[in-house]
Amino acid sequence: MPGTKTGGGSRTLLKALRRVLAEPGDGQARLDKVVRLVAGQLVAEVCSIYLKRDRSRLELCATEGLHPDAVHRVSLKIGHGLVGRIAQRAEPIATSNAQEAPGFQYIPETREEAYRSFAGVPIQRLGEVLGVLVIQNRVAREYTEDEIDGLEIVAMVIAEMTEAGMFTNGEEFQPIPQVRTQPVEMVGIAASEGLAEGPAHLHEPRVMVFNPIAENVESERARLHEAMTALRGDIDDLVRSDEIAATGEHRDVLEAYRMFAYDKGWLRRLEEAIESGLSAEVAVEKVQSAARSRMERIADPYLRERLHDLDDLANRLLRHLLGAAGGAPEIQAGAILIARNIGPGELMDHAGQIAGIVLEEGSLSSHAAIVARALSIPMVVQCQRVTRETNPGDKVVVDGAIGAVSLRPGGDVLDAFHQKVVVARQAAEIYKGLRDKPALTLDGTMIALHMNAGILSDLPSLEGSGAGGVGLYRTELQFMLRASLPGRTEQARTYARVLDAANGRPVIFRTLDIGSDKLLSYMKRVEEPNPALGWRAIRLGLDRPLLFKMQLQALIRGAGTRPLSLMFPMVTEADEFRRARALLDEALEGMKARGREVPSTVRVGAMLETPALAYASDAFFAQTDFISVGGNDLMQFFFAADRENERVRQRYDVLNLSFLRLLRDIAIRCDRLDVPLSFCGEAAGRPLEAVALAAVGYRSLSMRAASIGPVKRLLREVDLNEVRDLLAGAEADDQTSLRPRLLDWSRERGLHSDRYTR
Ligand code: PEP
Ligand code: MG
C-alpha cells in the first residue's frame, strides 16, 4: 500500500472503510464488505478476519479469497499455525513463503495452498487480542513495512467495531463471536467469605469508542493536543498537591505518569497514528497496544509494573478525549465491584451499595480485605484478568469462601450457586442455635469469643453472633470514613454510641492505628520507602501527642462513668507503652481536675504485633492490664513477609511450627505473670486456626462476627489434648506446619473445620 508513512494511503482506505461501515446491513454483511475492501485496496488475493470465539480458539469469520464454506467452520487454536501464533504473541507475521515459515499449519478446508505470501496482524484493543487480520498473495512477495502498518491500522478499526458490537446481529445466536459474551470461571484468593450475585460495576470502566476513523485529521490533532494539555495539567496539579494521599496515588507513580505524559516520543507516535487516518481515541489505543506488547516482553518486574502506569495514563487521556462520555456511571445497589485494586477508605465509600468485590490485585491481609470482612461483603482478590474479562452490567457470582468468581454464568453454574446459598442459610441456622451455648471444648476448656468491629454498623451483629463483647474496636476506621479530622466531641459521641450498643458487654478500643495502608485523606502523607515498617500506629501517636491525647480524652468522655478498656497498637518497646500510658494518665487527671466524670475502671493493654515485644521484660508484661496479640502484623514481621503482598504472604502459614512456638511462649509467659491474653488477628476467625490457638494457651479470641458461629461449632467438637499431642508429634518429626496433620485429624474425626483451608 503506497504512501502509508505519510498517512495518505491508509487515509484513503479508512475513508472507504467508514463508508462501508456506515451502510446498513447485519454484522456478517459488514465483515464481508470489510474483507472485500481491504483485499482490493491492498492488492491482495485473500483477506480474512479471524475472531476469538473463546479464550483458546479463533474462528474464521469472513474471507475474501479463501473457500467461502470455511467461514465459521474453521477454527484455530491460539498458538497454533501462523494465525494462532499472531494471536498468542500479539505481533505481526509476514513471510513470502508461508509453507516454509515456522509454525505453519495447513488447513485443507480453506484451500489456501495456492497462496505463498502471508501477512497477518493482531486485532487488538489496549493489549487485548480479539482476533487476527490476514492478507495473502499467490506470488512470493515481501510485504513492506508500510503495508504491515496499514494492515495494523485497519485492524485497530476492526477491534473498535468488534468491541462496540458492530459485527453482531442483535440476535440471541451470534454467528460472529462477540467480545466477552462467554461464561468465564475464575479463581482468585478467598478474602472475605459469603455468596454474592449481582451486576458488575467496573471501578474503571473500559472506554468505548464509536468513531474510530478521523473525519478530519486537523481537528483530530487539535482534539489530541487539547486533551494532552488537560492531562498534563491534572498530573502537574497532583504532583504539586500536598494531598497526594487523598487521590490514593503514590508519589513515585505520579512521577512516572509525569515522565510519560511529557514524553515527546509518545506525542509523536500519537500524531503519526492520527496522520494515518485514525481518530484521536483510536490513535491512543494503537500506541498503547504497541507499548504494551513491547513492555510485556520485558523481564524486569519493575518495568513491567510500569505497564499499569502507562495503561492508566492512556485511560486518562481517553477520558479527556471523550469528556463526560468517558466518566464512570453511578454504582447500582447490589452490584459486584470489579477493580484492579482498592483501598480501605474507597471500599467504605461504596460499602452501602455493593454486594461483593473482586480485585485483580489486593491481598487477603490488606485492610481493604479486613474492612470487607467486617462488613460481611464477600471478596475475592488476585483474580487475574477480571477487569479485562468483565463488561459493565454482566452478571457475576462470587463465592468468597473459596475465591471462585463466575462471569456471565450459565444455568448450571447459577443452579449450583443457588444451592450453595440454601446450604449457607442452613448453616446460619445451626450457628444461630449455638448462639447462647458456651465455646466449651470436650476437655472442659472455656474459650471466650469476642468480635472485632470498627464501624457502628458492625455492632448490631454483637447481639446475634453470641460474642461476649468487642475484643478489638479499630477506631481508625471512623477516621478513614471522613473527609476531615473528627473533633473531640464527635469522637466522644461515637465511642459513647459503641458502648451503648454493647449494652454492658466489654469493648476494647484500640487507639488510632494509621499509617501503612491505612491513610487519612486529610493528613499529609509522609513518603516512606517501606510504610509497613514505617511511621505508623503508636509511633505516630507518640510523635503527634495532640492528636493522640484528643482521642484519649474523647474515649474517656465517651465512656462517662462506665468501665473503659483500651489498647495501643504495635507497641515495640516497653517504653512506648509507658509513654502512651502516661499521656492517658494526664488526660484522666485533667478531666478530674476540671470536675468531669471519669470511667469507673480503666484497663490498658498493649497489642503484641512485633516479635520484639514478645521478648520485653517480665516487668513490662506485669505493667499491662492485658496483652492482645495482633496476629496479622505479628506474622508479617515474624516471617518478614509483607501482609499486602500475596506473593510472599501466602508462603507462610499461621500454623507454621516456629510461629506456634512463639505464640505458645507468649501464652506461657502471660499465664505465669497472670496477664490476661487474647488473640485478635484474622486467624482467630478460622476454625482450625482457632483450635490451634486454644491448644497453645489462648483462652480469648476476637474475630469478625460472622466467624463466631463456625469457630464455636468446631471448638465444641474438639479435645484440646488431642491437638496438643498432634503438635508434639509434628514438632518431634520436625514438620514445618501443623496444618497437614490437623487437617487429616479433623477429616478422620468428621469435624466441621472445612470453612477455610488457609
Ligand atoms: C493485627 O495486626 O493482627 C490486628 C488485629 O491489627 P490490624 O489488622 O488492624 O493491623
Ligand atoms: Mg495490626
PDB file of all heavy atoms in Angstrom, residues 115-137:
ATOM      1  N   TYR A 115      -1.719 -19.982  -2.050  1.00  0.00           N
ATOM      2  CA  TYR A 115      -1.156 -18.669  -1.705  1.00  0.00           C
ATOM      3  C   TYR A 115       0.163 -18.818  -0.964  1.00  0.00           C
ATOM      4  O   TYR A 115       0.213 -19.484   0.065  1.00  0.00           O
ATOM      5  CB  TYR A 115      -2.171 -17.885  -0.857  1.00  0.00           C
ATOM      6  CG  TYR A 115      -3.508 -17.808  -1.552  1.00  0.00           C
ATOM      7  CD1 TYR A 115      -4.551 -18.667  -1.192  1.00  0.00           C
ATOM      8  CD2 TYR A 115      -3.694 -16.918  -2.608  1.00  0.00           C
ATOM      9  CE1 TYR A 115      -5.754 -18.625  -1.862  1.00  0.00           C
ATOM     10  CE2 TYR A 115      -4.906 -16.877  -3.286  1.00  0.00           C
ATOM     11  CZ  TYR A 115      -5.930 -17.733  -2.905  1.00  0.00           C
ATOM     12  OH  TYR A 115      -7.112 -17.703  -3.574  1.00  0.00           O
ATOM     13  N   ARG A 116       1.179 -18.184  -1.499  1.00  0.00           N
ATOM     14  CA  ARG A 116       2.507 -18.354  -0.891  1.00  0.00           C
ATOM     15  C   ARG A 116       2.806 -17.286   0.148  1.00  0.00           C
ATOM     16  O   ARG A 116       3.359 -17.571   1.199  1.00  0.00           O
ATOM     17  CB  ARG A 116       3.593 -18.301  -1.970  1.00  0.00           C
ATOM     18  CG  ARG A 116       3.585 -19.539  -2.842  1.00  0.00           C
ATOM     19  CD  ARG A 116       4.794 -19.585  -3.706  1.00  0.00           C
ATOM     20  NE  ARG A 116       5.992 -19.933  -2.939  1.00  0.00           N
ATOM     21  CZ  ARG A 116       7.201 -19.953  -3.454  1.00  0.00           C
ATOM     22  NH1 ARG A 116       7.382 -19.621  -4.713  1.00  0.00           N
ATOM     23  NH2 ARG A 116       8.232 -20.275  -2.720  1.00  0.00           N
ATOM     24  N   SER A 117       2.480 -16.034  -0.196  1.00  0.00           N
ATOM     25  CA  SER A 117       2.860 -14.985   0.762  1.00  0.00           C
ATOM     26  C   SER A 117       1.727 -14.742   1.754  1.00  0.00           C
ATOM     27  O   SER A 117       0.538 -14.869   1.420  1.00  0.00           O
ATOM     28  CB  SER A 117       3.223 -13.677   0.077  1.00  0.00           C
ATOM     29  OG  SER A 117       3.183 -13.793  -1.298  1.00  0.00           O
ATOM     30  N   PHE A 118       2.138 -14.365   2.926  1.00  0.00           N
ATOM     31  CA  PHE A 118       1.182 -14.258   4.032  1.00  0.00           C
ATOM     32  C   PHE A 118       1.599 -13.088   4.916  1.00  0.00           C
ATOM     33  O   PHE A 118       2.775 -12.925   5.256  1.00  0.00           O
ATOM     34  CB  PHE A 118       1.245 -15.565   4.828  1.00  0.00           C
ATOM     35  CG  PHE A 118       0.493 -15.558   6.138  1.00  0.00           C
ATOM     36  CD1 PHE A 118      -0.724 -16.245   6.266  1.00  0.00           C
ATOM     37  CD2 PHE A 118       0.997 -14.889   7.259  1.00  0.00           C
ATOM     38  CE1 PHE A 118      -1.398 -16.251   7.476  1.00  0.00           C
ATOM     39  CE2 PHE A 118       0.323 -14.901   8.465  1.00  0.00           C
ATOM     40  CZ  PHE A 118      -0.882 -15.578   8.580  1.00  0.00           C
ATOM     41  N   ALA A 119       0.637 -12.234   5.281  1.00  0.00           N
ATOM     42  CA  ALA A 119       0.917 -11.195   6.302  1.00  0.00           C
ATOM     43  C   ALA A 119      -0.294 -11.121   7.215  1.00  0.00           C
ATOM     44  O   ALA A 119      -1.436 -11.050   6.750  1.00  0.00           O
ATOM     45  CB  ALA A 119       1.166  -9.844   5.652  1.00  0.00           C
ATOM     46  N   GLY A 120      -0.047 -11.186   8.494  1.00  0.00           N
ATOM     47  CA  GLY A 120      -1.163 -11.125   9.448  1.00  0.00           C
ATOM     48  C   GLY A 120      -0.803 -10.232  10.618  1.00  0.00           C
ATOM     49  O   GLY A 120       0.367 -10.154  11.017  1.00  0.00           O
ATOM     50  N   VAL A 121      -1.810  -9.532  11.137  1.00  0.00           N
ATOM     51  CA  VAL A 121      -1.576  -8.667  12.314  1.00  0.00           C
ATOM     52  C   VAL A 121      -2.659  -8.956  13.352  1.00  0.00           C
ATOM     53  O   VAL A 121      -3.769  -9.357  13.003  1.00  0.00           O
ATOM     54  CB  VAL A 121      -1.617  -7.159  11.939  1.00  0.00           C
ATOM     55  CG1 VAL A 121      -0.521  -6.798  10.977  1.00  0.00           C
ATOM     56  CG2 VAL A 121      -2.978  -6.768  11.409  1.00  0.00           C
ATOM     57  N   PRO A 122      -2.324  -8.762  14.616  1.00  0.00           N
ATOM     58  CA  PRO A 122      -3.362  -8.974  15.633  1.00  0.00           C
ATOM     59  C   PRO A 122      -4.418  -7.879  15.575  1.00  0.00           C
ATOM     60  O   PRO A 122      -4.099  -6.723  15.320  1.00  0.00           O
ATOM     61  CB  PRO A 122      -2.586  -8.903  16.950  1.00  0.00           C
ATOM     62  CG  PRO A 122      -1.358  -8.127  16.637  1.00  0.00           C
ATOM     63  CD  PRO A 122      -1.034  -8.385  15.202  1.00  0.00           C
ATOM     64  N   ILE A 123      -5.665  -8.270  15.820  1.00  0.00           N
ATOM     65  CA  ILE A 123      -6.732  -7.284  16.007  1.00  0.00           C
ATOM     66  C   ILE A 123      -6.801  -7.109  17.514  1.00  0.00           C
ATOM     67  O   ILE A 123      -7.226  -8.019  18.240  1.00  0.00           O
ATOM     68  CB  ILE A 123      -8.077  -7.836  15.465  1.00  0.00           C
ATOM     69  CG1 ILE A 123      -7.977  -8.069  13.959  1.00  0.00           C
ATOM     70  CG2 ILE A 123      -9.224  -6.914  15.816  1.00  0.00           C
ATOM     71  CD1 ILE A 123      -9.175  -8.800  13.350  1.00  0.00           C
ATOM     72  N   GLN A 124      -6.301  -5.997  18.006  1.00  0.00           N
ATOM     73  CA  GLN A 124      -6.213  -5.882  19.461  1.00  0.00           C
ATOM     74  C   GLN A 124      -6.628  -4.507  19.944  1.00  0.00           C
ATOM     75  O   GLN A 124      -6.536  -3.528  19.218  1.00  0.00           O
ATOM     76  CB  GLN A 124      -4.818  -6.220  19.954  1.00  0.00           C
ATOM     77  CG  GLN A 124      -3.733  -5.330  19.402  1.00  0.00           C
ATOM     78  CD  GLN A 124      -2.368  -5.698  19.977  1.00  0.00           C
ATOM     79  OE1 GLN A 124      -2.265  -6.185  21.087  1.00  0.00           O
ATOM     80  NE2 GLN A 124      -1.325  -5.462  19.203  1.00  0.00           N
ATOM     81  N   ARG A 125      -7.081  -4.524  21.181  1.00  0.00           N
ATOM     82  CA  ARG A 125      -7.536  -3.277  21.785  1.00  0.00           C
ATOM     83  C   ARG A 125      -6.931  -3.181  23.171  1.00  0.00           C
ATOM     84  O   ARG A 125      -7.155  -4.062  23.999  1.00  0.00           O
ATOM     85  CB  ARG A 125      -9.066  -3.324  21.877  1.00  0.00           C
ATOM     86  CG  ARG A 125      -9.631  -1.998  22.198  1.00  0.00           C
ATOM     87  CD  ARG A 125     -11.109  -1.954  21.998  1.00  0.00           C
ATOM     88  NE  ARG A 125     -11.514  -0.590  22.244  1.00  0.00           N
ATOM     89  CZ  ARG A 125     -12.008  -0.180  23.394  1.00  0.00           C
ATOM     90  NH1 ARG A 125     -12.198  -1.019  24.389  1.00  0.00           N
ATOM     91  NH2 ARG A 125     -12.332   1.079  23.560  1.00  0.00           N
ATOM     92  N   LEU A 126      -6.154  -2.162  23.387  1.00  0.00           N
ATOM     93  CA  LEU A 126      -5.492  -1.950  24.668  1.00  0.00           C
ATOM     94  C   LEU A 126      -4.841  -3.227  25.198  1.00  0.00           C
ATOM     95  O   LEU A 126      -5.051  -3.625  26.336  1.00  0.00           O
ATOM     96  CB  LEU A 126      -6.489  -1.388  25.687  1.00  0.00           C
ATOM     97  CG  LEU A 126      -6.888   0.059  25.427  1.00  0.00           C
ATOM     98  CD1 LEU A 126      -8.014   0.489  26.348  1.00  0.00           C
ATOM     99  CD2 LEU A 126      -5.712   1.014  25.567  1.00  0.00           C
ATOM    100  N   GLY A 127      -4.111  -3.856  24.283  1.00  0.00           N
ATOM    101  CA  GLY A 127      -3.332  -5.018  24.693  1.00  0.00           C
ATOM    102  C   GLY A 127      -4.120  -6.306  24.721  1.00  0.00           C
ATOM    103  O   GLY A 127      -3.555  -7.367  24.961  1.00  0.00           O
ATOM    104  N   GLU A 128      -5.418  -6.254  24.452  1.00  0.00           N
ATOM    105  CA  GLU A 128      -6.206  -7.487  24.481  1.00  0.00           C
ATOM    106  C   GLU A 128      -6.438  -7.938  23.046  1.00  0.00           C
ATOM    107  O   GLU A 128      -7.010  -7.196  22.232  1.00  0.00           O
ATOM    108  CB  GLU A 128      -7.546  -7.212  25.162  1.00  0.00           C
ATOM    109  CG  GLU A 128      -8.394  -8.442  25.273  1.00  0.00           C
ATOM    110  CD  GLU A 128      -9.736  -8.133  25.917  1.00  0.00           C
ATOM    111  OE1 GLU A 128     -10.058  -6.947  26.108  1.00  0.00           O
ATOM    112  OE2 GLU A 128     -10.464  -9.077  26.205  1.00  0.00           O
ATOM    113  N   VAL A 129      -5.990  -9.147  22.727  1.00  0.00           N
ATOM    114  CA  VAL A 129      -6.131  -9.630  21.356  1.00  0.00           C
ATOM    115  C   VAL A 129      -7.559 -10.144  21.152  1.00  0.00           C
ATOM    116  O   VAL A 129      -8.047 -10.993  21.897  1.00  0.00           O
ATOM    117  CB  VAL A 129      -5.101 -10.742  21.064  1.00  0.00           C
ATOM    118  CG1 VAL A 129      -5.332 -11.350  19.687  1.00  0.00           C
ATOM    119  CG2 VAL A 129      -3.694 -10.174  21.147  1.00  0.00           C
ATOM    120  N   LEU A 130      -8.211  -9.603  20.127  1.00  0.00           N
ATOM    121  CA  LEU A 130      -9.598 -10.019  19.852  1.00  0.00           C
ATOM    122  C   LEU A 130      -9.659 -10.897  18.615  1.00  0.00           C
ATOM    123  O   LEU A 130     -10.640 -11.600  18.395  1.00  0.00           O
ATOM    124  CB  LEU A 130     -10.481  -8.788  19.618  1.00  0.00           C
ATOM    125  CG  LEU A 130     -10.453  -7.693  20.686  1.00  0.00           C
ATOM    126  CD1 LEU A 130     -11.287  -6.499  20.251  1.00  0.00           C
ATOM    127  CD2 LEU A 130     -10.984  -8.232  21.995  1.00  0.00           C
ATOM    128  N   GLY A 131      -8.607 -10.838  17.784  1.00  0.00           N
ATOM    129  CA  GLY A 131      -8.627 -11.644  16.568  1.00  0.00           C
ATOM    130  C   GLY A 131      -7.379 -11.382  15.742  1.00  0.00           C
ATOM    131  O   GLY A 131      -6.403 -10.818  16.229  1.00  0.00           O
ATOM    132  N   VAL A 132      -7.452 -11.812  14.472  1.00  0.00           N
ATOM    133  CA  VAL A 132      -6.284 -11.660  13.578  1.00  0.00           C
ATOM    134  C   VAL A 132      -6.791 -11.268  12.190  1.00  0.00           C
ATOM    135  O   VAL A 132      -7.802 -11.793  11.713  1.00  0.00           O
ATOM    136  CB  VAL A 132      -5.477 -12.987  13.509  1.00  0.00           C
ATOM    137  CG1 VAL A 132      -4.345 -12.887  12.496  1.00  0.00           C
ATOM    138  CG2 VAL A 132      -4.914 -13.346  14.885  1.00  0.00           C
ATOM    139  N   LEU A 133      -6.102 -10.334  11.558  1.00  0.00           N
ATOM    140  CA  LEU A 133      -6.424  -9.909  10.195  1.00  0.00           C
ATOM    141  C   LEU A 133      -5.287 -10.371   9.288  1.00  0.00           C
ATOM    142  O   LEU A 133      -4.112 -10.127   9.585  1.00  0.00           O
ATOM    143  CB  LEU A 133      -6.544  -8.377  10.164  1.00  0.00           C
ATOM    144  CG  LEU A 133      -6.694  -7.715   8.806  1.00  0.00           C
ATOM    145  CD1 LEU A 133      -8.028  -8.090   8.149  1.00  0.00           C
ATOM    146  CD2 LEU A 133      -6.603  -6.190   8.935  1.00  0.00           C
ATOM    147  N   VAL A 134      -5.661 -11.037   8.203  1.00  0.00           N
ATOM    148  CA  VAL A 134      -4.642 -11.663   7.352  1.00  0.00           C
ATOM    149  C   VAL A 134      -4.837 -11.247   5.896  1.00  0.00           C
ATOM    150  O   VAL A 134      -5.977 -11.126   5.436  1.00  0.00           O
ATOM    151  CB  VAL A 134      -4.774 -13.208   7.454  1.00  0.00           C
ATOM    152  CG1 VAL A 134      -3.882 -13.901   6.438  1.00  0.00           C
ATOM    153  CG2 VAL A 134      -4.440 -13.683   8.856  1.00  0.00           C
ATOM    154  N   ILE A 135      -3.732 -11.012   5.184  1.00  0.00           N
ATOM    155  CA  ILE A 135      -3.809 -10.955   3.719  1.00  0.00           C
ATOM    156  C   ILE A 135      -2.852 -11.996   3.140  1.00  0.00           C
ATOM    157  O   ILE A 135      -1.857 -12.350   3.782  1.00  0.00           O
ATOM    158  CB  ILE A 135      -3.488  -9.543   3.139  1.00  0.00           C
ATOM    159  CG1 ILE A 135      -2.148  -9.036   3.650  1.00  0.00           C
ATOM    160  CG2 ILE A 135      -4.592  -8.556   3.426  1.00  0.00           C
ATOM    161  CD1 ILE A 135      -1.682  -7.766   2.951  1.00  0.00           C
ATOM    162  N   GLN A 136      -3.208 -12.493   1.943  1.00  0.00           N
ATOM    163  CA  GLN A 136      -2.350 -13.496   1.310  1.00  0.00           C
ATOM    164  C   GLN A 136      -2.258 -13.203  -0.191  1.00  0.00           C
ATOM    165  O   GLN A 136      -3.197 -12.642  -0.772  1.00  0.00           O
ATOM    166  CB  GLN A 136      -2.934 -14.900   1.530  1.00  0.00           C
ATOM    167  CG  GLN A 136      -2.797 -15.378   2.978  1.00  0.00           C
ATOM    168  CD  GLN A 136      -3.555 -16.656   3.246  1.00  0.00           C
ATOM    169  OE1 GLN A 136      -4.766 -16.621   3.429  1.00  0.00           O
ATOM    170  NE2 GLN A 136      -2.859 -17.786   3.263  1.00  0.00           N
ATOM    171  N   ASN A 137      -1.148 -13.579  -0.798  1.00  0.00           N
ATOM    172  CA  ASN A 137      -0.977 -13.446  -2.250  1.00  0.00           C
ATOM    173  C   ASN A 137      -0.418 -14.730  -2.831  1.00  0.00           C
ATOM    174  O   ASN A 137       0.284 -15.469  -2.145  1.00  0.00           O
ATOM    175  CB  ASN A 137      -0.023 -12.290  -2.577  1.00  0.00           C
ATOM    176  CG  ASN A 137      -0.703 -10.941  -2.440  1.00  0.00           C
ATOM    177  OD1 ASN A 137      -0.782 -10.391  -1.348  1.00  0.00           O
ATOM    178  ND2 ASN A 137      -1.228 -10.426  -3.541  1.00  0.00           N
TER     179      ASN A 137
END
